[in-house]
Amino acid sequence: MARYTPPEQSKIGQLIDVVVLLGLSLGALFVPLRMGLSGAAKVVATPVENPTWETLGQTAVQAAQYEALGYTPATAHDLILARFDYSFEWSSLILMAVLIIGYFVIMLRLSEQEYKDVINEKFGE
Amino acid sequence: MANTDITSKVMDGMGPHGTKVGLLRVLGPAHVWALGVGIVLVGEYMGWNFAVGKGGAYAALIACWFAGILYTCVAMIDSEVTSTVAAAGGQYTQAKHIIGPLMAFNVGLYLVFAYTMLEAGNAITAGYLVSVVAGMTGYEGVLDQRPFIILVIMFLAWLNYRGVLATLTFNLVITAVAFVAIIVLFFATSGIIGTGIMNHAALMEGQAALPYGTLGILAAMHFGLWFYLGIEGTTQAAEEVRSPARALPFGTLAGIMTLLIAATLTWYICTGILPWEFLGDGVNGSVAPLFDAARLSGSTGLVWLLGFGTLFATLASANGCINDASRAWFSMGRDRYLPKWFGAVHPKYRTPYRSIIFLVPIALIFALGAPLDQVITFSILSGLLGYTFMPLNVILFRRKWPLDSIKRGYEHPFHPLPAYVLLALCAITYVAVFLGYGTQLIAMILFYVVVSLWFHFWRYRFVNRGAQFTMPWPRPKGY
Amino acid sequence: MATWNIIEYGAWALSALFGVLMIADWIKTDSTNSEEVLTSSREGELEAMSEDRRG
C-alpha cells in the first residue's frame, strides 16, 4: 500500500482546530446549564409556611445536628425539602440508550476502517 | 536538575535530549499504590456525598460497594493491558494500538476531561475550605473564594510546568496525612476510644432511610463512582515501574482495597453524624463532609486535622490531574491528533509545557463558572465512557493478540467475565446518571459524536498512518 | 477583619505572579529554540528498547 503522507497544517489552521474543539467542549457543559435544562436542579415540591423542625419532618436528634451546624428551621427549609424528580419518560430512556449504543457503534466502525490502514502501512499488505 | 528526579513521569521517551535517560523501572508496588490512592483519596473528602443526596444514606453505601466491584474489574483489566503496553500515554496509547485511531482520540479526550474536571472540583473545594477557615477565625464579611480557586490552579500548574512535579515523596506524605486523618476521625467519633457521637439509627430512620425508595439506590450509583475515580491512573506509572508484572497488579489492587476501606469508613462517619439532606447537598450543604463531621465533634484538634486533610487531598489530587491531563493532551498533539504545536517538550524542564498552559484557562473556566455537582458529573461521565471502552479494549486485545502471541506482565483471571461485569455495571451507571442529570448525559454524548465526526472527516488527514503504531508487537490476528 | 482582605489580595497577586512566570518562560523558550527541537519527541522510542517480545 502506498505510504500516506499527511499535509502540513498551517498555524492558522491549527488555531482554528483548537478553537473549534474548545467551543464544542464549552458548549457541551454550558449550553444545558445556561438554558436551565440541567436536570440537576432539585425543587421544593411542597413548601412549608413558618417551618419548625417538626413540620420539616425532623426528629429531635436530626434537629439537634442541624442546630449544631448553625441552621434554623427557616434557613434549612430549602435544604431539607428539595428533592430530585426521578419521574421519567421511557421514551427518553430509550433515546439515551440508542444514543450511547449508536455512538459506540459508529465510533468502533470508523475506528476499524482507520485501523486497517494503520496495520497495512505498518506491516505491509 | 530534573536528571535525578526519579518521580518524573515526563522524563523518559519524551525529552528532546532525554529520550534515553535510564530512569525507568525504579518504582516499586508501594509507589504504584501511593500514586493511585493519592489522586483518588480526595473523593472521600468531597463529592461522594452527592450519592446520599440522590438516594439517601443506605443507597450511598450500596452504591459505594457496587462501584467498588466496577473498579476492581477496571483495575484487573487495565493491569493486564498496561503491563504490556507500558507507555506513558496510558489508555490513549492502548486504544490506538488495539481498537483504532478514532477510539484513541475519544479516549484521549475522556482522560483530559475527567482529569481537568476533577482538578476544577478540587480547586472549588479548596476555595470553599479557605472561606470556612476565614469564618472560623472571625471574619465577618463574605470571603471572595475566586482568588483562592485561581491560586490553587495557577500554583500547581506552575509546579508542573517547572518539572518539579511535587515529588512522589511529597505527594505520598500529604496523601498519608489525609488517609490517617480519616482513620483518626473514625476512632475519635465512633466510640471505640472515648465516647462516640455516632447516631446512625436516629439519623437514618423514617423518611431518611430510603427517601427515594429503591430507585434511589440505582440513582446513587452515579456518584458512587466518585469514591474511586482516578484509580486507573496507576497505570500511567507503567513506564517507571521496576517489574510491571508484579508491581502494577499488586499496587493497583492494594490501592482499590485501601479505597474500599476508606470509602466505607467515610460513609460510616458522615452518615452517623450529619443529617442526610445536609450531607447529600454538596453545593448548599456539605461541601466537605469529613470536615463538617469533624466540626460537629467539638474537638478543635480534629477540625484542624480534617481541614488539612481536605486541603492536602485536594492539592495532591489536583497536582496529579494537571500532570495526567496535560500528558494526554500532549500525546495527542505529538501524534497530530491535535495540532502538533501541543507536542512540544520544554528543553530544560522536560515537561509538555504548552499543554500545561493551554489547560489552565479551561480548568479555570469550569472551576469558576459551574457548580460542583455539574463539574463532577462531567468528570464522572468522561470516566464512565472510559470504563465502557475498557472491556471492549480487553476483549479485542485477547482476540487480536492471544495469550501466546505477546508476553503479558499480568494476565487477569476469569476472562471474559470481568469484562462483561464491567460492561453491565457501566450500563447501570448510565441509567443512574440519566436519573437527575439526563440532559448533561445527552449533551455529553452529542459532543463526542460531533467531535468524532470532526476527527474522522477532517482532523485525521494530518495524522501519519503506520507511524503511530509504535509497539514492537506482531501483526494482529485477522488483519 | 482586615487580615482576610489582605490575604485575598495576596492570593490574587500570587496567582498573577505564577501566571506571569509561566508565560514569560513560555515566550522565552519558544523564541530561543527551534520548533523542530521542541517537537522532536516521539512515542515508543523507549519501548522499542526495553520490551521483550515473544513469538
Side-chain angles (χ1 to χ4, degrees):
Chain A
M1 185 181 141
R3 229 183 142 70
Y4 174 79
T5 317
E8 272 300 311
Q9 195 181 19
S10 68
K11 278 259 182 253
I12 302 283
Q14 297 191 27
L15 189 68
I16 292 173
D17 276 5
V18 173
V19 171
V20 167
L21 202 55
L22 204 56
L24 285 172
S25 44
L26 291 180
L29 179 69
F30 285 106
V31 168
L33 212 59
R34 289 285 172 270
M35 288 169 66
L37 284 174
S38 60
K42 292 199 242 182
V43 285
V44 180
T46 44
V48 177
E49 297 272 330
N50 303 318
T52 62
W53 292 122
E54 287 73 33
T55 53
L56 290 175
Q58 301 298 302
T59 62
V61 176
Q62 291 160 354
Q65 294 305 81
Y66 272 109
E67 277 165 13
L69 287 163
Y71 283 97
T72 65
T75 55
H77 175 269
D78 287 358
L79 188 68
I80 288 176
L81 293 183
R83 290 285 186 279
F84 285 108
D85 182 7
Y86 287 156
S87 61
F88 63 91
E89 303 283 327
W90 281 98
S91 56
S92 54
L93 183 63
I94 291 165
L95 174 75
M96 181 201 74
V98 169
L99 200 60
I100 293 174
I101 294 168
Y103 160 66
F104 273 101
V105 168
I106 293 174
M107 190 172 53
L108 289 175
R109 286 234 163 144
L110 296 180
S111 287
E112 182 72 11
Q113 265 179 34
E114 295 168 351
Y115 190 69
K116 281 189 176 132
D117 286 350
V118 172
I119 296 302
N120 283 338
E121 195 178 300
K122 168 86 182 174
F123 295 97
E125 287 284 2
Chain B
M1 42 140 274
N3 284 328
T4 52
D5 183 4
I6 60 159
T7 64
S8 167
K9 288 184 176 179
V10 292
M11 281 286 294
D12 31 353
M14 280 178 63
H17 314 300
T19 50
K20 292 183 176 70
V21 179
L23 38 71
L24 67 168
R25 317 289 180 220
V26 286
L27 303 181
H31 297 96
V32 178
W33 174 88
L35 274 173
V37 177
I39 284 192
V40 186
L41 197 64
V42 70
E44 268 65 345
Y45 277 93
M46 63 94 171
W48 69 272
N49 50 313
F50 287 109
V52 176
K54 282 194 86 176
Y58 288 119
L61 183 64
I62 295 168
C64 166
W65 286 342
F66 268 100
I69 298 174
L70 187 153
Y71 276 92
T72 308
C73 294
V74 164
M76 292 201 309
I77 288 173
D78 226 24
S79 292
E80 168 166 338
V81 185
T82 310
S83 70
T84 318
V85 176
Q91 286 84 3
Y92 159 76
T93 315
Q94 299 174 11
K96 197 173 65 178
H97 286 86
I98 295 168
I99 298 189
L102 179 61
M103 183 81 236
F105 178 69
N106 278 269
V107 170
L109 288 185
Y110 303 158
L111 291 173
V112 171
F113 275 115
Y115 286 123
T116 307
M117 293 302 120
L118 176 51
E119 177 197 343
N122 288 328
I124 293 173
T125 310
Y128 162 82
L129 205 65
V130 173
S131 78
V132 173
V133 171
M136 280 162 48
T137 51
Y139 181 68
E140 301 278 304
V142 178
L143 190 79
D144 188 358
Q145 297 183 15
R146 287 176 303 165
F148 301 101
I149 292 174
I150 297 172
L151 180 59
V152 166
I153 291 176
M154 293 304 261
F155 170 67
L156 294 175
W158 177 75
L159 265 189
N160 273 279
Y161 184 99
R162 300 264 308 175
V164 194
L165 310 162
T167 60
L168 191 61
T169 321
F170 174 70
N171 253 3
L172 211 162
V173 169
I174 59 178
T175 304
V177 171
F179 183 67
V180 168
I182 297 179
I183 308 275
V184 169
L185 183 64
F186 170 73
F187 279 111
T189 55
S190 63
I192 294 176
I193 299 171
T195 42
I197 55 168
M198 293 291 172
N199 214 335
H200 286 95
L203 286 176
M204 286 163 66
E205 71 181 2
Q207 52 93 27
L210 272 180
Y212 292 101
T214 42
L215 196 59
I217 299 174
L218 181 62
M221 188 67 185
H222 172 189
F223 288 106
L225 259 58
W226 198 248
F227 280 114
Y228 316 95
L229 194 117
I231 185 74
E232 70 274 15
T234 51
T235 55
Q236 308 269 357
E239 240 176 57
E240 292 127 308
V241 171
R242 265 198 306 269
S243 68
R246 198 174 69 91
L248 273 183
F250 183 84
T252 310
L253 293 173
I256 256 292
M257 287 174 212
T258 312
L259 289 170
L260 271 168
I261 295 168
T264 309
L265 287 183
T266 300
W267 177 89
Y268 182 82
I269 295 166
C270 293
T271 54
I273 297 177
L274 303 168
W276 81 272
E277 300 97 332
F278 172 77
L279 177 60
D281 192 333
V283 177
N284 305 309
S286 183
V287 176
L290 281 167
F291 180 62
D292 288 326
R295 282 202 288 163
L296 287 192
S297 72
S299 153
T300 318
L302 280 180
V303 173
W304 282 106
L305 180 63
L306 270 294
F308 275 112
T310 309
L311 189 64
F312 285 176
T314 56
L315 291 182
S317 175
N319 198 30
C321 287
I322 294 176
N323 182 60
D324 288 354
S326 59
R327 270 181 82 77
W329 195 261
F330 159 82
S331 302
M332 289 197 284
R334 194 168 55 171
D335 287 335
R336 312 240 181 123
Y337 281 40
L338 292 172
K340 74 167 182 183
W341 187 79
F342 291 111
V345 176
H346 197 289
K348 185 163 150 216
Y349 303 130
R350 304 228 176 91
T351 51
Y353 67 110
R354 288 176 183 164
S355 302
I356 292 172
I357 290 184
F358 175 74
L359 291 173
V360 166
I362 297 179
L364 285 176
I365 289 171
F366 287 109
L368 297 173
L372 186 58
D373 61 332
Q374 305 285 344
V375 169
I376 290 180
T377 297
F378 232 54
S379 182
I380 286 176
L381 270 173
S382 297
L384 185 57
L385 288 166
Y387 306 140
T388 314
F389 142 79
M390 284 178 193
L392 307 173
N393 191 39
V394 80
I395 288 168
L396 287 173
F397 184 52
R398 289 270 179 127
R399 195 180 292 163
K400 291 178 182 176
W401 290 277
L403 288 180
D404 55 359
S405 65
I406 16 175
K407 189 174 113 188
R408 274 119 162 118
Y410 164 78
E411 289 167 16
H412 80 278
F414 312 121
H415 180 80
L417 188 66
Y420 289 128
V421 171
L422 180 53
L423 214 49
L425 284 170
C426 285
I428 291 171
T429 313
Y430 281 116
V431 179
V433 177
F434 171 77
L435 293 172
Y437 293 79
T439 322
Q440 286 89 329
L441 176 60
I442 287 172
M444 190 90 180
I445 301 285
L446 283 177
F447 163 74
Y448 280 113
V449 170
V450 172
V451 160
S452 294
L453 295 176
W454 175 79
F455 178 80
H456 182 77
F457 290 108
W458 166 252
R459 184 69 220 171
Y460 190 55
R461 73 188 59 193
F462 299 110
V463 178
N464 274 307
R465 299 299 192 252
Q468 56 180 317
F469 193 105
T470 59
M471 292 293 141
W473 293 353
R475 193 182 186 114
K477 218 172 147 185
Y479 286 84
Chain C
M1 212 159 54
T3 329
W4 277 100
N5 294 332
I6 295 167
I7 295 175
E8 240 180 69
Y9 288 122
W12 281 116
L14 277 175
S15 306
L17 175 70
F18 289 127
V20 168
L21 281 176
M22 273 191 288
I23 290 171
D25 186 83
W26 167 30
I27 294 170
K28 198 187 91 195
T29 306
D30 277 13
S31 56
T32 50
N33 294 278
S34 77
E35 197 66 17
E36 280 73 45
V37 171
L38 292 175
T39 55
S40 64
S41 159
R42 293 290 169 267
E43 179 185 281
E45 285 176 4
L46 192 88
E47 287 79 25
M49 289 165 31
S50 61
E51 277 297 315
D52 185 4
R53 179 174 153 191
R54 194 207 288 174

